[in-house]
Amino acid sequence: MNRRIVIIGFMGSGKTTVAQALAQRLGCEMIDLDSFITESEGRSPAGIIEEDGESAFREIETRALREVLEKTTHQVIALGGGAWTIAANRALTTAHDCLSVWLDAPFELCWQRIQSGGNTVRPLAPDRESALALYDLRRSTYKLAKLRLEVNSESTAETLASELLQRMGIESKNSSGNATREET
Ligand code: S3P
């Protein structure tokens, strides 16, 4: 598979774990854009937003995405929840012929995960009301993704990765490392 996959969706939709499951099934490398930013900037996205504001973070995020797309060969990329809402980032993924995949998770599930997020601080979702407003606002942009995967409380990263590969008609590796063709 040559086409890179970009996983998008709201905070708590499961982007990182699905990207990890996908990369494992495909036997390729994944990268989480927020982790890449944390490593290169020495601060987490939340820390940058809190210290320098959201627009400063968005500039860093776009630079980071460009770097990942231009200078690395990671086949699966998990974006932060707001990255897809920036037109320049969508244009970058189009220019690099990425397949964008939206994890469409219900708000309550995302909110539950945001609240139980442990160490993950989310300054843009400080309370339920503002998180819901952002969730509603972003849906129309998330809909621009090429593929939509419906997420519910029963979904696991593995079932979602499997569903995506089936829909793409792609071969994946089973647990013993043998190639298997996903049946549709
Ligand atoms: C953000 C989501 C976060 C992180 C930053 C901003 C957003 O990533 O990039 O706090 O605007 O939705 P996750 O979606 O992985 O939580």
Side-chain angles (χ1 to χ4, degrees):
M1 186 202 57
N2 293 322
R3 202 166 182 200
R4 287 194 273 197
I5 300 172
V6 170
I7 309 290
I8 71 152
F10 199 66
M11 295 171 251
S13 57
K15 300 178 290 293
T16 306
T17 51
V18 170
Q20 283 165 342
L22 254 180
Q24 195 180 17
R25 298 285 289 271
L26 290 167
C28 69
E29 298 274 313
M30 72 75 78
I31 191 163
D32 177 79
L33 192 65
D34 282 347
S35 305
F36 179 78
I37 292 170
T38 304
E39 270 176 41
S40 52
E41 297 294 316
R43 290 184 294 169
S44 67
I48 299 169
I49 293 170
E50 278 165 350
E51 287 165 21
D52 299 346
E54 185 182 347
S55 58
F57 169 67
R58 295 299 171 207
E59 281 176 27
I60 292 170
E61 184 177 51
T62 298
R63 259 202 325 268
L65 179 60
R66 181 177 291 112
E67 193 175 333
V68 165
L69 291 170
E70 287 177 358
K71 298 192 183 147
T72 80
T73 54
H74 297 93
Q75 289 283 101
V76 182
I77 305 167
L79 297 188
W84 183 256
T85 66
I86 306 297
N89 297 341
R90 297 196 300 275
L92 272 173
T93 66
T94 305
H96 286 266
D97 193 35
C98 300
L99 176 72
S100 46
V101 178
W102 171 28
L103 297 187
D104 185 8
F107 175 74
E108 290 308 331
L109 184 60
C110 295
W111 180 239
Q112 224 176 61
R113 291 174 177 170
I114 290 170
Q115 280 183 303
S116 59
N119 292 335
T120 313
V121 184
R122 275 139 167 155
L124 300 182
D127 54 66
R128 191 181 187 283
E129 201 186 351
S130 39
L132 179 57
L134 198 58
Y135 179 94
D136 287 339
L137 186 72
R138 287 179 172 176
R139 283 189 72 78
S140 58
T141 321
Y142 289 148
K143 280 182 187 155
L144 300 173
K146 296 209 173 75
L147 273 177
R148 170 180 167 272
L149 282 184
E150 200 172 316
V151 180
N152 58 48
S153 52
E154 309 290 300
S155 315
T156 64
E158 281 68 32
T159 59
L160 290 165
S162 217
E163 186 188 336
L164 176 59
L165 293 173
Q166 277 179 9
R167 284 174 58 185
M168 293 172 69
I170 276 182
E171 284 189 348
S172 72
K173 288 190 174 154
N174 62 23
S175 49
S176 51
N178 300 318
T180 56
R181 186 155 184 90
E182 299 283 343
E183 300 297 331
T184 42

